[in-house]
PDB file of all heavy atoms in Angstrom:
ATOM      1  N   VAL A   1      -8.169 -13.120 -13.988  1.00  0.00           N
ATOM      2  CA  VAL A   1      -7.935 -11.697 -14.192  1.00  0.00           C
ATOM      3  C   VAL A   1      -9.233 -11.060 -14.624  1.00  0.00           C
ATOM      4  O   VAL A   1      -9.674  -9.930 -14.294  1.00  0.00           O
ATOM      5  CB  VAL A   1      -6.770 -11.377 -15.163  1.00  0.00           C
ATOM      6  CG1 VAL A   1      -6.765  -9.799 -15.363  1.00  0.00           C
ATOM      7  CG2 VAL A   1      -5.496 -11.865 -14.557  1.00  0.00           C
ATOM      8  N   GLY A   2      -9.994 -11.787 -15.529  1.00  0.00           N
ATOM      9  CA  GLY A   2     -11.201 -11.199 -16.015  1.00  0.00           C
ATOM     10  C   GLY A   2     -12.274 -11.139 -15.000  1.00  0.00           C
ATOM     11  O   GLY A   2     -13.316 -10.415 -15.224  1.00  0.00           O
ATOM     12  N   TYR A   3     -12.145 -11.803 -13.870  1.00  0.00           N
ATOM     13  CA  TYR A   3     -13.148 -11.707 -12.901  1.00  0.00           C
ATOM     14  C   TYR A   3     -12.902 -10.559 -11.897  1.00  0.00           C
ATOM     15  O   TYR A   3     -13.820 -10.131 -11.167  1.00  0.00           O
ATOM     16  CB  TYR A   3     -13.182 -12.979 -11.980  1.00  0.00           C
ATOM     17  CG  TYR A   3     -13.745 -14.200 -12.711  1.00  0.00           C
ATOM     18  CD1 TYR A   3     -12.881 -15.254 -13.026  1.00  0.00           C
ATOM     19  CD2 TYR A   3     -15.024 -14.234 -13.115  1.00  0.00           C
ATOM     20  CE1 TYR A   3     -13.397 -16.421 -13.677  1.00  0.00           C
ATOM     21  CE2 TYR A   3     -15.499 -15.447 -13.792  1.00  0.00           C
ATOM     22  CZ  TYR A   3     -14.748 -16.484 -14.114  1.00  0.00           C
ATOM     23  OH  TYR A   3     -15.218 -17.645 -14.730  1.00  0.00           O
ATOM     24  N   LEU A   4     -11.741  -9.971 -11.877  1.00  0.00           N
ATOM     25  CA  LEU A   4     -11.329  -8.922 -11.022  1.00  0.00           C
ATOM     26  C   LEU A   4     -12.392  -7.680 -11.071  1.00  0.00           C
ATOM     27  O   LEU A   4     -12.744  -6.996 -10.117  1.00  0.00           O
ATOM     28  CB  LEU A   4      -9.905  -8.519 -11.159  1.00  0.00           C
ATOM     29  CG  LEU A   4      -8.868  -9.594 -10.728  1.00  0.00           C
ATOM     30  CD1 LEU A   4      -7.506  -9.004 -10.962  1.00  0.00           C
ATOM     31  CD2 LEU A   4      -9.126 -10.047  -9.270  1.00  0.00           C
ATOM     32  N   PRO A   5     -12.652  -7.223 -12.382  1.00  0.00           N
ATOM     33  CA  PRO A   5     -13.603  -6.103 -12.355  1.00  0.00           C
ATOM     34  C   PRO A   5     -14.850  -6.398 -11.799  1.00  0.00           C
ATOM     35  O   PRO A   5     -15.532  -5.441 -11.294  1.00  0.00           O
ATOM     36  CB  PRO A   5     -13.615  -5.923 -13.984  1.00  0.00           C
ATOM     37  CG  PRO A   5     -12.498  -6.378 -14.426  1.00  0.00           C
ATOM     38  CD  PRO A   5     -12.074  -7.718 -13.643  1.00  0.00           C
ATOM     39  N   HIS A   6     -15.302  -7.655 -11.703  1.00  0.00           N
ATOM     40  CA  HIS A   6     -16.603  -7.854 -11.050  1.00  0.00           C
ATOM     41  C   HIS A   6     -16.541  -7.763  -9.554  1.00  0.00           C
ATOM     42  O   HIS A   6     -17.628  -7.720  -8.746  1.00  0.00           O
ATOM     43  CB  HIS A   6     -17.054  -9.373 -11.353  1.00  0.00           C
ATOM     44  CG  HIS A   6     -17.338  -9.558 -12.775  1.00  0.00           C
ATOM     45  ND1 HIS A   6     -18.375  -9.133 -13.472  1.00  0.00           N
ATOM     46  CD2 HIS A   6     -16.524 -10.118 -13.818  1.00  0.00           C
ATOM     47  CE1 HIS A   6     -18.431  -9.471 -14.741  1.00  0.00           C
ATOM     48  NE2 HIS A   6     -17.242 -10.083 -15.023  1.00  0.00           N
ATOM     49  N   CYS A   7     -15.311  -7.634  -8.911  1.00  0.00           N
ATOM     50  CA  CYS A   7     -15.238  -7.467  -7.501  1.00  0.00           C
ATOM     51  C   CYS A   7     -15.027  -6.031  -7.152  1.00  0.00           C
ATOM     52  O   CYS A   7     -14.735  -5.693  -5.897  1.00  0.00           O
ATOM     53  CB  CYS A   7     -13.974  -8.291  -7.065  1.00  0.00           C
ATOM     54  SG  CYS A   7     -13.974 -10.017  -7.448  1.00  0.00           S
ATOM     55  N   THR A   8     -15.062  -5.059  -8.063  1.00  0.00           N
ATOM     56  CA  THR A   8     -14.771  -3.690  -7.850  1.00  0.00           C
ATOM     57  C   THR A   8     -15.789  -3.035  -6.816  1.00  0.00           C
ATOM     58  O   THR A   8     -16.910  -3.305  -6.837  1.00  0.00           O
ATOM     59  CB  THR A   8     -14.951  -2.887  -9.088  1.00  0.00           C
ATOM     60  OG1 THR A   8     -13.958  -3.428 -10.145  1.00  0.00           O
ATOM     61  CG2 THR A   8     -14.765  -1.370  -8.915  1.00  0.00           C
ATOM     62  N   PHE A   9     -15.228  -2.408  -5.889  1.00  0.00           N
ATOM     63  CA  PHE A   9     -15.975  -1.640  -4.915  1.00  0.00           C
ATOM     64  C   PHE A   9     -16.204  -0.156  -5.359  1.00  0.00           C
ATOM     65  O   PHE A   9     -15.265   0.460  -5.825  1.00  0.00           O
ATOM     66  CB  PHE A   9     -15.284  -1.675  -3.563  1.00  0.00           C
ATOM     67  CG  PHE A   9     -15.901  -0.789  -2.484  1.00  0.00           C
ATOM     68  CD1 PHE A   9     -17.068  -1.297  -1.789  1.00  0.00           C
ATOM     69  CD2 PHE A   9     -15.454   0.446  -2.153  1.00  0.00           C
ATOM     70  CE1 PHE A   9     -17.614  -0.574  -0.775  1.00  0.00           C
ATOM     71  CE2 PHE A   9     -16.068   1.246  -1.157  1.00  0.00           C
ATOM     72  CZ  PHE A   9     -17.159   0.622  -0.425  1.00  0.00           C
ATOM     73  N   ASN A  10     -17.449   0.312  -5.300  1.00  0.00           N
ATOM     74  CA  ASN A  10     -17.811   1.593  -5.534  1.00  0.00           C
ATOM     75  C   ASN A  10     -17.423   2.287  -6.897  1.00  0.00           C
ATOM     76  O   ASN A  10     -17.080   3.351  -7.084  1.00  0.00           O
ATOM     77  CB  ASN A  10     -17.187   2.592  -4.405  1.00  0.00           C
ATOM     78  CG  ASN A  10     -17.867   3.866  -4.235  1.00  0.00           C
ATOM     79  OD1 ASN A  10     -18.998   3.977  -4.520  1.00  0.00           O
ATOM     80  ND2 ASN A  10     -17.242   4.922  -3.801  1.00  0.00           N
ATOM     81  N   LEU A  11     -17.527   1.272  -7.866  1.00  0.00           N
ATOM     82  CA  LEU A  11     -17.378   1.733  -9.316  1.00  0.00           C
ATOM     83  C   LEU A  11     -16.051   2.290  -9.578  1.00  0.00           C
ATOM     84  O   LEU A  11     -15.759   3.112 -10.509  1.00  0.00           O
ATOM     85  CB  LEU A  11     -18.438   2.609  -9.820  1.00  0.00           C
ATOM     86  CG  LEU A  11     -19.861   2.094  -9.643  1.00  0.00           C
ATOM     87  CD1 LEU A  11     -21.001   3.197  -9.966  1.00  0.00           C
ATOM     88  CD2 LEU A  11     -20.082   0.904 -10.384  1.00  0.00           C
ATOM     89  N   ASN A  12     -14.918   1.882  -8.855  1.00  0.00           N
ATOM     90  CA  ASN A  12     -13.703   2.553  -8.968  1.00  0.00           C
ATOM     91  C   ASN A  12     -13.182   2.164 -10.358  1.00  0.00           C
ATOM     92  O   ASN A  12     -12.989   0.913 -10.743  1.00  0.00           O
ATOM     93  CB  ASN A  12     -12.716   1.878  -7.939  1.00  0.00           C
ATOM     94  CG  ASN A  12     -11.389   2.638  -7.982  1.00  0.00           C
ATOM     95  OD1 ASN A  12     -10.929   3.251  -8.949  1.00  0.00           O
ATOM     96  ND2 ASN A  12     -10.489   2.454  -6.884  1.00  0.00           N
ATOM     97  N   PRO A  13     -12.790   3.167 -11.206  1.00  0.00           N
ATOM     98  CA  PRO A  13     -12.295   2.805 -12.620  1.00  0.00           C
ATOM     99  C   PRO A  13     -10.843   2.298 -12.659  1.00  0.00           C
ATOM    100  O   PRO A  13     -10.402   1.832 -13.774  1.00  0.00           O
ATOM    101  CB  PRO A  13     -12.373   4.115 -13.282  1.00  0.00           C
ATOM    102  CG  PRO A  13     -12.206   5.187 -12.178  1.00  0.00           C
ATOM    103  CD  PRO A  13     -12.878   4.608 -10.900  1.00  0.00           C
ATOM    104  N   ARG A  14     -10.113   2.362 -11.520  1.00  0.00           N
ATOM    105  CA  ARG A  14      -8.680   1.957 -11.553  1.00  0.00           C
ATOM    106  C   ARG A  14      -8.577   0.434 -11.697  1.00  0.00           C
ATOM    107  O   ARG A  14      -9.143  -0.318 -10.918  1.00  0.00           O
ATOM    108  CB  ARG A  14      -8.035   2.316 -10.347  1.00  0.00           C
ATOM    109  CG  ARG A  14      -6.512   1.987 -10.168  1.00  0.00           C
ATOM    110  CD  ARG A  14      -5.598   2.460 -11.324  1.00  0.00           C
ATOM    111  NE  ARG A  14      -5.436   3.896 -11.171  1.00  0.00           N
ATOM    112  CZ  ARG A  14      -4.802   4.640 -11.981  1.00  0.00           C
ATOM    113  NH1 ARG A  14      -4.141   4.100 -12.987  1.00  0.00           N
ATOM    114  NH2 ARG A  14      -4.679   5.816 -11.689  1.00  0.00           N
ATOM    115  N   ALA A  15      -7.955  -0.020 -12.858  1.00  0.00           N
ATOM    116  CA  ALA A  15      -7.836  -1.454 -13.104  1.00  0.00           C
ATOM    117  C   ALA A  15      -7.030  -2.152 -12.084  1.00  0.00           C
ATOM    118  O   ALA A  15      -6.019  -1.588 -11.611  1.00  0.00           O
ATOM    119  CB  ALA A  15      -7.231  -1.712 -14.535  1.00  0.00           C
ATOM    120  N   ALA A  16      -7.390  -3.239 -11.612  1.00  0.00           N
ATOM    121  CA  ALA A  16      -6.617  -4.109 -10.658  1.00  0.00           C
ATOM    122  C   ALA A  16      -5.560  -4.803 -11.336  1.00  0.00           C
ATOM    123  O   ALA A  16      -5.589  -5.151 -12.436  1.00  0.00           O
ATOM    124  CB  ALA A  16      -7.604  -5.062  -9.937  1.00  0.00           C
ATOM    125  N   SER A  17      -4.410  -4.939 -10.588  1.00  0.00           N
ATOM    126  CA  SER A  17      -3.229  -5.566 -11.108  1.00  0.00           C
ATOM    127  C   SER A  17      -3.238  -7.093 -10.965  1.00  0.00           C
ATOM    128  O   SER A  17      -4.121  -7.661 -10.164  1.00  0.00           O
ATOM    129  CB  SER A  17      -1.972  -5.061 -10.445  1.00  0.00           C
ATOM    130  OG  SER A  17      -1.778  -5.617  -9.174  1.00  0.00           O
ATOM    131  N   ILE A  18      -2.308  -7.806 -11.687  1.00  0.00           N
ATOM    132  CA  ILE A  18      -2.241  -9.228 -11.508  1.00  0.00           C
ATOM    133  C   ILE A  18      -1.985  -9.696 -10.098  1.00  0.00           C
ATOM    134  O   ILE A  18      -2.170 -10.767  -9.743  1.00  0.00           O
ATOM    135  CB  ILE A  18      -1.222  -9.715 -12.538  1.00  0.00           C
ATOM    136  CG1 ILE A  18      -1.258 -11.199 -12.670  1.00  0.00           C
ATOM    137  CG2 ILE A  18       0.231  -9.185 -12.110  1.00  0.00           C
ATOM    138  CD1 ILE A  18      -2.415 -11.806 -13.375  1.00  0.00           C
ATOM    139  N   ASP A  19      -1.354  -8.795  -9.414  1.00  0.00           N
ATOM    140  CA  ASP A  19      -0.855  -9.094  -7.939  1.00  0.00           C
ATOM    141  C   ASP A  19      -2.043  -8.886  -6.948  1.00  0.00           C
ATOM    142  O   ASP A  19      -1.790  -9.236  -5.775  1.00  0.00           O
ATOM    143  CB  ASP A  19       0.259  -8.207  -7.492  1.00  0.00           C
ATOM    144  CG  ASP A  19       1.616  -8.600  -8.175  1.00  0.00           C
ATOM    145  OD1 ASP A  19       1.692  -9.702  -8.604  1.00  0.00           O
ATOM    146  OD2 ASP A  19       2.411  -7.748  -8.405  1.00  0.00           O
ATOM    147  N   THR A  20      -3.187  -8.535  -7.357  1.00  0.00           N
ATOM    148  CA  THR A  20      -4.284  -8.325  -6.392  1.00  0.00           C
ATOM    149  C   THR A  20      -4.620  -9.479  -5.506  1.00  0.00           C
ATOM    150  O   THR A  20      -4.767  -9.458  -4.334  1.00  0.00           O
ATOM    151  CB  THR A  20      -5.661  -7.851  -7.147  1.00  0.00           C
ATOM    152  OG1 THR A  20      -5.262  -6.615  -7.890  1.00  0.00           O
ATOM    153  CG2 THR A  20      -6.750  -7.753  -6.247  1.00  0.00           C
ATOM    154  N   PRO A  21      -4.814 -10.855  -6.093  1.00  0.00           N
ATOM    155  CA  PRO A  21      -5.026 -11.932  -5.177  1.00  0.00           C
ATOM    156  C   PRO A  21      -3.933 -12.187  -4.202  1.00  0.00           C
ATOM    157  O   PRO A  21      -4.246 -12.753  -3.125  1.00  0.00           O
ATOM    158  CB  PRO A  21      -5.236 -12.985  -6.221  1.00  0.00           C
ATOM    159  CG  PRO A  21      -5.535 -12.385  -7.554  1.00  0.00           C
ATOM    160  CD  PRO A  21      -4.776 -11.161  -7.536  1.00  0.00           C
ATOM    161  N   LEU A  22      -2.722 -11.815  -4.559  1.00  0.00           N
ATOM    162  CA  LEU A  22      -1.598 -12.223  -3.534  1.00  0.00           C
ATOM    163  C   LEU A  22      -1.876 -11.340  -2.243  1.00  0.00           C
ATOM    164  O   LEU A  22      -1.521 -11.769  -1.134  1.00  0.00           O
ATOM    165  CB  LEU A  22      -0.229 -11.968  -4.208  1.00  0.00           C
ATOM    166  CG  LEU A  22       0.354 -12.899  -5.191  1.00  0.00           C
ATOM    167  CD1 LEU A  22      -0.349 -12.735  -6.582  1.00  0.00           C
ATOM    168  CD2 LEU A  22       1.765 -12.669  -5.331  1.00  0.00           C
ATOM    169  N   HIS A  23      -2.341 -10.159  -2.423  1.00  0.00           N
ATOM    170  CA  HIS A  23      -2.612  -9.257  -1.237  1.00  0.00           C
ATOM    171  C   HIS A  23      -3.877  -9.675  -0.591  1.00  0.00           C
ATOM    172  O   HIS A  23      -4.007  -9.721   0.584  1.00  0.00           O
ATOM    173  CB  HIS A  23      -2.738  -7.838  -1.715  1.00  0.00           C
ATOM    174  CG  HIS A  23      -1.428  -7.192  -2.129  1.00  0.00           C
ATOM    175  ND1 HIS A  23      -0.692  -6.372  -1.185  1.00  0.00           N
ATOM    176  CD2 HIS A  23      -0.746  -7.346  -3.328  1.00  0.00           C
ATOM    177  CE1 HIS A  23       0.348  -5.919  -1.935  1.00  0.00           C
ATOM    178  NE2 HIS A  23       0.379  -6.530  -3.081  1.00  0.00           N
ATOM    179  N   ALA A  24      -4.898 -10.119  -1.366  1.00  0.00           N
ATOM    180  CA  ALA A  24      -6.200 -10.458  -0.778  1.00  0.00           C
ATOM    181  C   ALA A  24      -6.157 -11.674   0.080  1.00  0.00           C
ATOM    182  O   ALA A  24      -6.821 -11.741   1.066  1.00  0.00           O
ATOM    183  CB  ALA A  24      -7.251 -10.606  -1.946  1.00  0.00           C
ATOM    184  N   PHE A  25      -5.366 -12.746  -0.377  1.00  0.00           N
ATOM    185  CA  PHE A  25      -5.407 -13.992   0.350  1.00  0.00           C
ATOM    186  C   PHE A  25      -4.630 -14.116   1.529  1.00  0.00           C
ATOM    187  O   PHE A  25      -4.609 -15.134   2.286  1.00  0.00           O
ATOM    188  CB  PHE A  25      -5.062 -15.086  -0.671  1.00  0.00           C
ATOM    189  CG  PHE A  25      -5.983 -15.263  -1.853  1.00  0.00           C
ATOM    190  CD1 PHE A  25      -5.719 -16.069  -2.953  1.00  0.00           C
ATOM    191  CD2 PHE A  25      -7.322 -14.630  -1.803  1.00  0.00           C
ATOM    192  CE1 PHE A  25      -6.614 -16.127  -3.997  1.00  0.00           C
ATOM    193  CE2 PHE A  25      -8.026 -14.675  -2.858  1.00  0.00           C
ATOM    194  CZ  PHE A  25      -7.795 -15.451  -3.973  1.00  0.00           C
ATOM    195  N   LEU A  26      -3.700 -13.057   1.660  1.00  0.00           N
ATOM    196  CA  LEU A  26      -2.948 -13.012   3.090  1.00  0.00           C
ATOM    197  C   LEU A  26      -3.839 -12.497   4.041  1.00  0.00           C
ATOM    198  O   LEU A  26      -4.513 -11.515   3.848  1.00  0.00           O
ATOM    199  CB  LEU A  26      -1.620 -12.240   2.871  1.00  0.00           C
ATOM    200  CG  LEU A  26      -0.511 -12.816   2.061  1.00  0.00           C
ATOM    201  CD1 LEU A  26       0.636 -11.848   1.781  1.00  0.00           C
ATOM    202  CD2 LEU A  26       0.128 -14.080   2.844  1.00  0.00           C
ATOM    203  N   PRO A  27      -3.794 -12.980   5.332  1.00  0.00           N
ATOM    204  CA  PRO A  27      -4.684 -12.647   6.298  1.00  0.00           C
ATOM    205  C   PRO A  27      -4.420 -11.284   7.014  1.00  0.00           C
ATOM    206  O   PRO A  27      -5.139 -10.814   7.862  1.00  0.00           O
ATOM    207  CB  PRO A  27      -4.708 -13.744   7.342  1.00  0.00           C
ATOM    208  CG  PRO A  27      -3.258 -14.317   7.236  1.00  0.00           C
ATOM    209  CD  PRO A  27      -2.854 -14.234   5.805  1.00  0.00           C
ATOM    210  N   TYR A  28      -3.271 -10.622   6.654  1.00  0.00           N
ATOM    211  CA  TYR A  28      -2.827  -9.472   7.395  1.00  0.00           C
ATOM    212  C   TYR A  28      -3.451  -8.197   6.774  1.00  0.00           C
ATOM    213  O   TYR A  28      -3.791  -8.115   5.572  1.00  0.00           O
ATOM    214  CB  TYR A  28      -1.311  -9.396   7.262  1.00  0.00           C
ATOM    215  CG  TYR A  28      -0.624 -10.607   7.700  1.00  0.00           C
ATOM    216  CD1 TYR A  28      -0.074 -11.491   6.852  1.00  0.00           C
ATOM    217  CD2 TYR A  28      -0.393 -10.802   9.030  1.00  0.00           C
ATOM    218  CE1 TYR A  28       0.483 -12.715   7.207  1.00  0.00           C
ATOM    219  CE2 TYR A  28       0.079 -11.994   9.498  1.00  0.00           C
ATOM    220  CZ  TYR A  28       0.606 -12.912   8.598  1.00  0.00           C
ATOM    221  OH  TYR A  28       1.198 -14.070   9.029  1.00  0.00           O
ATOM    222  N   LYS A  29      -3.612  -7.301   7.709  1.00  0.00           N
ATOM    223  CA  LYS A  29      -4.437  -6.043   7.321  1.00  0.00           C
ATOM    224  C   LYS A  29      -3.603  -5.224   6.301  1.00  0.00           C
ATOM    225  O   LYS A  29      -4.150  -4.530   5.464  1.00  0.00           O
ATOM    226  CB  LYS A  29      -4.832  -5.249   8.426  1.00  0.00           C
ATOM    227  CG  LYS A  29      -5.745  -4.050   8.188  1.00  0.00           C
ATOM    228  CD  LYS A  29      -6.336  -3.434   9.400  1.00  0.00           C
ATOM    229  CE  LYS A  29      -7.340  -2.376   9.059  1.00  0.00           C
ATOM    230  NZ  LYS A  29      -7.998  -1.708  10.357  1.00  0.00           N
ATOM    231  N   HIS A  30      -2.291  -5.174   6.444  1.00  0.00           N
ATOM    232  CA  HIS A  30      -1.423  -4.364   5.665  1.00  0.00           C
ATOM    233  C   HIS A  30      -0.380  -5.287   4.997  1.00  0.00           C
ATOM    234  O   HIS A  30       0.288  -6.037   5.724  1.00  0.00           O
ATOM    235  CB  HIS A  30      -0.822  -3.257   6.407  1.00  0.00           C
ATOM    236  CG  HIS A  30      -1.831  -2.238   6.892  1.00  0.00           C
ATOM    237  ND1 HIS A  30      -1.919  -1.098   6.236  1.00  0.00           N
ATOM    238  CD2 HIS A  30      -2.631  -2.212   7.976  1.00  0.00           C
ATOM    239  CE1 HIS A  30      -2.886  -0.302   7.012  1.00  0.00           C
ATOM    240  NE2 HIS A  30      -3.211  -1.119   8.020  1.00  0.00           N
ATOM    241  N   VAL A  31      -0.143  -5.074   3.730  1.00  0.00           N
ATOM    242  CA  VAL A  31       0.783  -6.043   3.020  1.00  0.00           C
ATOM    243  C   VAL A  31       1.621  -5.147   2.022  1.00  0.00           C
ATOM    244  O   VAL A  31       1.039  -4.312   1.405  1.00  0.00           O
ATOM    245  CB  VAL A  31       0.063  -7.100   2.181  1.00  0.00           C
ATOM    246  CG1 VAL A  31       1.037  -8.031   1.416  1.00  0.00           C
ATOM    247  CG2 VAL A  31      -0.762  -8.023   3.211  1.00  0.00           C
ATOM    248  N   ASP A  32       2.894  -5.369   1.954  1.00  0.00           N
ATOM    249  CA  ASP A  32       3.808  -4.784   1.052  1.00  0.00           C
ATOM    250  C   ASP A  32       4.482  -5.860   0.108  1.00  0.00           C
ATOM    251  O   ASP A  32       4.951  -6.929   0.610  1.00  0.00           O
ATOM    252  CB  ASP A  32       5.011  -4.106   1.703  1.00  0.00           C
ATOM    253  CG  ASP A  32       4.511  -2.799   2.420  1.00  0.00           C
ATOM    254  OD1 ASP A  32       3.488  -2.215   2.086  1.00  0.00           O
ATOM    255  OD2 ASP A  32       5.151  -2.331   3.428  1.00  0.00           O
ATOM    256  N   HIS A  33       4.605  -5.661  -1.123  1.00  0.00           N
ATOM    257  CA  HIS A  33       5.336  -6.441  -2.068  1.00  0.00           C
ATOM    258  C   HIS A  33       6.332  -5.517  -2.844  1.00  0.00           C
ATOM    259  O   HIS A  33       5.851  -4.600  -3.542  1.00  0.00           O
ATOM    260  CB  HIS A  33       4.383  -7.083  -3.087  1.00  0.00           C
ATOM    261  CG  HIS A  33       5.112  -7.721  -4.209  1.00  0.00           C
ATOM    262  ND1 HIS A  33       6.182  -8.521  -4.033  1.00  0.00           N
ATOM    263  CD2 HIS A  33       4.846  -7.792  -5.496  1.00  0.00           C
ATOM    264  CE1 HIS A  33       6.723  -8.925  -5.263  1.00  0.00           C
ATOM    265  NE2 HIS A  33       5.868  -8.520  -6.085  1.00  0.00           N
ATOM    266  N   MET A  34       7.631  -5.755  -2.455  1.00  0.00           N
ATOM    267  CA  MET A  34       8.649  -4.810  -2.935  1.00  0.00           C
ATOM    268  C   MET A  34       9.712  -5.568  -3.700  1.00  0.00           C
ATOM    269  O   MET A  34       9.773  -6.821  -3.710  1.00  0.00           O
ATOM    270  CB  MET A  34       9.415  -4.149  -1.697  1.00  0.00           C
ATOM    271  CG  MET A  34       8.577  -3.242  -0.830  1.00  0.00           C
ATOM    272  SD  MET A  34       7.950  -1.737  -1.736  1.00  0.00           S
ATOM    273  CE  MET A  34       6.195  -2.064  -1.721  1.00  0.00           C
ATOM    274  N   HIS A  35      10.559  -4.888  -4.514  1.00  0.00           N
ATOM    275  CA  HIS A  35      11.570  -5.392  -5.303  1.00  0.00           C
ATOM    276  C   HIS A  35      12.963  -4.864  -4.916  1.00  0.00           C
ATOM    277  O   HIS A  35      13.631  -4.192  -5.709  1.00  0.00           O
ATOM    278  CB  HIS A  35      11.298  -5.121  -6.825  1.00  0.00           C
ATOM    279  CG  HIS A  35      10.085  -5.693  -7.314  1.00  0.00           C
ATOM    280  ND1 HIS A  35       9.441  -5.158  -8.424  1.00  0.00           N
ATOM    281  CD2 HIS A  35       9.351  -6.791  -6.982  1.00  0.00           C
ATOM    282  CE1 HIS A  35       8.293  -5.903  -8.718  1.00  0.00           C
ATOM    283  NE2 HIS A  35       8.231  -6.831  -7.762  1.00  0.00           N
ATOM    284  N   PRO A  36      13.360  -5.020  -3.673  1.00  0.00           N
ATOM    285  CA  PRO A  36      14.607  -4.467  -3.227  1.00  0.00           C
ATOM    286  C   PRO A  36      15.794  -5.205  -3.843  1.00  0.00           C
ATOM    287  O   PRO A  36      15.736  -6.461  -3.875  1.00  0.00           O
ATOM    288  CB  PRO A  36      14.555  -4.560  -1.674  1.00  0.00           C
ATOM    289  CG  PRO A  36      13.618  -5.729  -1.471  1.00  0.00           C
ATOM    290  CD  PRO A  36      12.672  -5.687  -2.521  1.00  0.00           C
ATOM    291  N   ASP A  37      16.793  -4.617  -4.296  1.00  0.00           N
ATOM    292  CA  ASP A  37      17.955  -5.187  -4.854  1.00  0.00           C
ATOM    293  C   ASP A  37      18.667  -6.103  -3.957  1.00  0.00           C
ATOM    294  O   ASP A  37      18.985  -7.258  -4.408  1.00  0.00           O
ATOM    295  CB  ASP A  37      18.998  -4.034  -5.185  1.00  0.00           C
ATOM    296  CG  ASP A  37      18.509  -3.095  -6.364  1.00  0.00           C
ATOM    297  OD1 ASP A  37      17.511  -3.479  -7.005  1.00  0.00           O
ATOM    298  OD2 ASP A  37      19.125  -2.129  -6.545  1.00  0.00           O
TER     299      ASP A  37
END
């Protein structure tokens, strides 16, 4: 998690979440992670 800020694009101040790698490592252009009952 400490490495995620080093990957920031364009100095975006929004902190990355713990789920960021889950989205990054899937090969699809668009990804949803939901909690449906």
Side-chain angles (χ1 to χ4, degrees):
V1 176
Y3 291 115
L4 295 180
H6 296 284
C7 303
T8 300
F9 175 80
N10 202 25
L11 302 178
N12 185 348
R14 176 63 64 178
S17 80
I18 191 70
D19 287 330
T20 296
L22 283 78
H23 289 260
F25 297 168
L26 286 169
Y28 305 101
K29 188 168 184 180
H30 295 264
V31 176
D32 291 335
H33 169 42
M34 298 292 115
H35 298 153
D37 294 346

